[in-house]
Amino acid sequence: MNGKHFASLALVCTVLFGALSGAADARTLRYAIGHPPSSFVVDVAKQYAETVEEQSDGDLKVRVFPMSLLNFAETSGGVRDGMADIGFVLTSYFPSEFPHSNVAVEASMLVGLLGEKARGREGMIFMGALSEFTFFKCPECNQEFKKQNQVYTGSTGGTSYGLVCNKPVETEADLKGMRLRVGAANWSRWAEAVGASPVTMSANEMFEALSQGVVSCIVLASPEIHNFGLTDVVTDINMDVPGGPMPIAGTNINANTWKALSEEQRTVMLRAASVFSAGVPWIYHQHEDRILSEAKERGVKIHHADAALIEKNRAFIEQDMQHIAEDYKARYGVENGEALIKEFRALLEKWTGLVQNVDSEQALADLYWQEIFSKVDVSQHGL
């Protein structure tokens, strides 16, 4: 072989070796999310995966497993045990594992007391406030995640919850004796306060429960009618009460996975998490009115709560804040519940102001990044 051919072969080998090395170095992270593939949340999860790949120049990739690798009830343990690298963790399903975190999560109905400035922006406000609170104001929250071998990388969630039913609800009397599916303890207490009976079950069981009359209503955000395929079993909707979104630690990362990443890669994961945290409330708010309008066109009746039920709801929210603090102290040893709620209420007020001029999903993601995620010290967080 002459020198020229040898040089050409060497060049080809070098290029091939570099390509193979790059492919070998790229790491694919498994993301478990309990929502079905058609869900708006899965659409945002795909954006999250795209952002990871783009921001890392292909060094990191995320494969999204919707409602397959782990369901909602399995996700926290699955992330802990390494069955998934990333998980959509509903801390409200696990009050004993995440008590400090759930003090703020259970305070979600507070957005109903923020006034007109918050209307139509509840999810954006709450997820910004909760992410800032968990990263910087609640070291106990991060210790809880650490005990579960997880690293917190932000909160997300949709719009405020109402009543998605197969019977009309407008008054407190209508609710007496009703069985309501609830996804968190605060709505369970609300149900009991208005004379209904709360039923706890996984979101994946809602269709069957409503279609078979096991429950009369589901406490739910209206876009979830689409997400969980409830269109054919819903006949009546009232979004006036009880209110409050369902917040989730949407992109928790297995601690071993996190530690194996470089600081640059952790920054990439946080940048992508800010996109995810913003994307879910944004897309929910965009679809909220459309879902209700389409339901009305199909013959679903849209109801409104009477003045007495609205006032009962507001009074309950205020009273429940004291209950949350006392209950978590008695059951889980949370000594600073009142202080945590006070701190969180201040952040809700702050974020009500911050989101007023947000006019796009990108603007919300940029705001979350600038105000929260970019300030996380990746050399210390989660280690």
Side-chain angles (χ1 to χ4, degrees), residues 149-367:
N149 202 36
Q150 299 175 29
V151 177
Y152 174 82
T153 61
S155 294
T156 197
T159 47
S160 284
Y161 275 36
L163 299 171
V164 176
C165 310
N166 55 27
K167 293 181 180 179
V169 175
E170 294 182 350
T171 69
E172 186 175 352
D174 293 332
L175 287 160
K176 296 291 184 188
M178 269 194 174
R179 289 169 59 84
L180 310 181
R181 182 270 172 183
V182 297
N186 54 335
W187 292 308
S188 179
R189 292 189 296 272
W190 179 85
E192 291 173 343
V194 296
S197 298
V199 178
T200 303
M201 64 179 66
S202 169
N204 305 113
E205 302 173 272
M206 293 187 298
F207 180 92
E208 186 176 0
L210 196 61
S211 65
Q212 295 185 1
V214 175
V215 297
S216 297
C217 294
I218 299 171
V219 180
L220 204 63
S222 60
E224 305 289 21
I225 296 171
H226 162 85
N227 290 339
F228 290 98
L230 303 176
T231 301
D232 295 335
V233 293
V234 175
T235 60
D236 298 85
I237 298 173
N238 186 333
M239 297 306 298
D240 294 344
V241 294
M246 168 71 91
I248 301 102
T251 51
N252 270 19
I253 299 179
N254 171 273
N256 299 327
T257 299
W258 178 261
K259 291 170 185 174
L261 300 176
S262 68
E263 291 186 10
E264 291 77 11
Q265 289 173 325
R266 292 175 200 150
T267 299
V268 165
M269 299 307 295
L270 286 172
R271 187 70 181 92
S274 71
V275 170
F276 188 79
S277 290
V280 175
W282 181 264
I283 199 169
Y284 270 58
H285 280 298
Q286 296 307 299
H287 286 287
E288 187 173 27
D289 291 339
R290 180 183 66 80
I291 294 292
L292 292 174
S293 177
E294 290 178 356
K296 189 174 181 180
E297 289 175 4
R298 293 193 305 271
V300 175
K301 296 179 176 63
I302 308 300
H303 303 274
H304 293 283
D306 68 2
L309 183 54
I310 292 289
E311 184 54 38
K312 173 95 174 185
N313 195 57
R314 292 182 64 86
F316 169 83
I317 295 170
E318 286 289 3
Q319 294 165 6
D320 199 46
M321 295 307 108
Q322 185 63 37
H323 172 87
I324 291 170
E326 294 173 354
D327 185 51
Y328 272 81
K329 181 177 181 178
R331 288 200 293 161
Y332 306 115
V334 176
E335 297 291 340
N336 58 339
E338 287 187 30
L340 291 175
I341 292 172
K342 182 178 180 180
E343 182 86 59
F344 186 60
R345 291 188 81 154
L347 288 173
L348 287 172
E349 294 286 350
K350 170 186 172 179
W351 277 91
T352 300
L354 285 175
V355 303
Q356 288 305 303
N357 296 323
V358 169
D359 58 2
S360 70
E361 183 177 348
Q362 186 61 55
L364 184 61
D366 289 344
L367 179 65

